[in-house]
Every structure is written in structure tokens, then in C-alpha cells.
Amino acid sequence: MKSLFNVPNIIDYIRILFLLIAYAMHKSSFMAFSAFYIISFALDLIDGPVARYMRQVTWYGTVLEQLIDRMSNLMLVALCIQQPNAPFKWFLILWSSIDLVSHWCQFMATAHFNIHHKSQQSKFKLLDAYYKYKAFMAPLIIGTEVFFITYLNM
């Protein structure tokens, strides 16, 4: 029970709340939607470091963080697909499917060996670079988020 309400998990629960508020605001105010979504995204940047700093890393927290990440990506894709005359719907569905499956496979493969999904060395050099070098990972993640938010405002 203690691990359900540690500081990093509370940060993740706040992320969920902000995602739900963002979703509720998407039709009435693009600016409010964007603000709540970006705050949720920013909280994603601190939950892991807080967990490590406070020595509150838990299996539950690791799974929760992955689920929220996928939930936020799927929410953006679903909103983009609902746009009238949205171009590239097939690409959005394909990208979302690849994102979901690849993260799940990486997560489950490393969970089998009881190691963190970002610390496992892969035979795929691109995947290693993604998880090892924040300067490589960050522009890809931020670029994806900006792409989807911009797509919503088309």
C-alpha cells in the first residue's frame, strides 16, 4: 500500500488528472488542452528522477509510468484521427501501433530479467542510442509531441 502513494506515483496520478482535464478541454479550448497536456508531459520528465533520488523505485511505479506514457500518446493519436479531413490517418494508426507494441515488447522483455527497460543493452543500436543518450531521445520525444499537438490545431 505504501508504494501506491509514494511521491513519484503521486506525480503520475497528477499526470493522469491533467491528461483527463486536457481531454475534457480539447473541444472548447486548444490553449487549455495544450497547457494541461504539456504540464502532464513535463511531469513525466521528473517522476523517474524523483523516484531514484528518493529511493522509491517500485515495479508498480515503473508499470504505471509506462501505461500513462502510452495512454497520453494514444489520446493524442485518437484526437488527431477524429479531426475532420485529417490527412495521414493510416500513418497515425500505424505509428501508434508500432509505438505501443515496441514499448510493450521492450518493457516485457526486460521485466522477464528483472531489469529496467532503459538499462538493457539491445542488439539494435538505434534502440540503444534511444535509451542511452538523452540528447538523442529528447528531440525525438519532444518532436513527436509537438507534431501531434500541432496536427490537432490544423
Side-chain angles (χ1 to χ4, degrees):
M1 186 65 146
K2 181 180 169 185
S3 70
L4 291 177
F5 297 104
N6 64 21
V7 174
N9 291 348
I10 291 171
I11 291 170
D12 282 338
Y13 299 142
I14 294 169
R15 282 184 67 202
I16 294 170
L17 176 65
F18 283 4
L19 284 174
L20 292 173
I21 294 170
Y23 180 78
M25 301 296 293
H26 83 275
K27 287 185 180 177
S28 60
S29 172
F30 178 76
M31 292 302 289
F33 164 81
S34 298
F36 281 104
Y37 187 87
I38 290 168
I39 292 169
S40 175
F41 178 76
L43 289 173
D44 183 31
L45 301 174
I46 65 168
D47 61 352
V50 167
R52 290 184 287 281
Y53 177 78
M54 298 183 79
R55 299 181 190 269
Q56 294 182 346
V57 175
T58 64
W59 173 250
Y60 173 77
T62 303
V63 172
L64 178 65
E65 195 267 340
Q66 280 287 306
L67 288 173
I68 297 168
D69 288 350
R70 303 293 65 80
M71 181 177 80
S72 66
N73 288 344
L74 290 173
M75 180 185 77
L76 278 179
V77 170
L79 291 175
C80 288
I81 290 171
Q82 293 174 17
Q83 295 289 79
N85 302 317
F88 310 116
K89 286 184 182 186
W90 62 269
F91 172 76
L92 298 176
I93 293 168
L94 179 63
W95 177 89
S96 181
S97 300
I98 291 170
D99 179 65
L100 185 64
V101 171
S102 63
H103 277 88
W104 183 253
C105 288
Q106 172 75 0
F107 184 78
M108 292 309 293
T110 55
H112 178 74
F113 296 105
N114 200 27
I115 56 177
H116 193 274
H117 68 281
K118 292 182 181 175
S119 63
Q120 171 64 26
Q121 186 163 354
S122 170
K123 61 183 174 182
F124 303 106
K125 299 302 177 199
L126 190 60
L127 188 60
D128 283 343
Y130 180 80
Y131 282 120
K132 186 175 180 183
Y133 303 109
K134 291 185 194 276
F136 181 67
M137 180 196 297
L140 293 173
I141 294 172
I142 293 169
T144 301
E145 302 296 322
V146 168
F147 169 78
F148 282 123
I149 291 173
T150 303
Y151 191 100
L152 280 174
N153 198 34
M154 289 173 53

